Amino acid sequence: TVDIHLDEVERAVYDTRLDSMKAVDEAIQAVPNLADDAWWSAETKELVLYGKGYMFSVLVDIAQAGSEDCLVAARQLAALLLEKL
């Protein structure tokens, strides 16, 4: 299952959403070399990132795949979306 949300927002809106995620999920981790800012939640299998004036949420839940495999898939989708903007 893949669920992608894309919203054109100010950076402050993204930062507020990210702060909310960090308050709930202390294990959230930074994802380097992707967009202006990107974070991965292994718990929810969600990649949240900000780039080119857009906030992205890419939720990837692949049956029988671990968190790292889901992160790889989410990164690839996000990179493709960023490239097409």
Side-chain angles (χ1 to χ4, degrees):
T1 302
V2 175
D3 188 19
I4 299 172
H5 293 273
L6 173 68
D7 295 306
E8 188 173 16
V9 299
E10 297 292 326
R11 176 65 189 253
V13 173
Y14 166 80
D15 290 338
T16 300
R17 167 88 194 284
L18 183 59
D19 289 343
S20 296
M21 286 183 68
K22 288 179 178 179
V24 174
D25 184 357
E26 294 179 5
I28 193 170
Q29 59 187 12
V31 177
N33 305 318
L34 181 65
D36 297 334
D37 193 55
W39 292 80
W40 171 251
S41 170
E43 181 179 321
T44 61
K45 296 181 180 175
E46 181 180 18
L47 176 65
V48 177
L49 60 140
Y50 186 83
K52 297 187 177 182
Y54 289 87
M55 176 174 65
F56 298 77
S57 171
V58 181
L59 184 108
V60 176
D61 192 4
I62 303 169
Q64 300 178 347
S67 175
E68 289 301 314
D69 291 333
C70 290
L71 173 57
V72 169
R75 280 184 67 105
Q76 290 174 342
L77 286 168
L80 181 62
L81 289 168
L82 280 166
E83 181 182 308
K84 296 299 179 183
L85 284 178

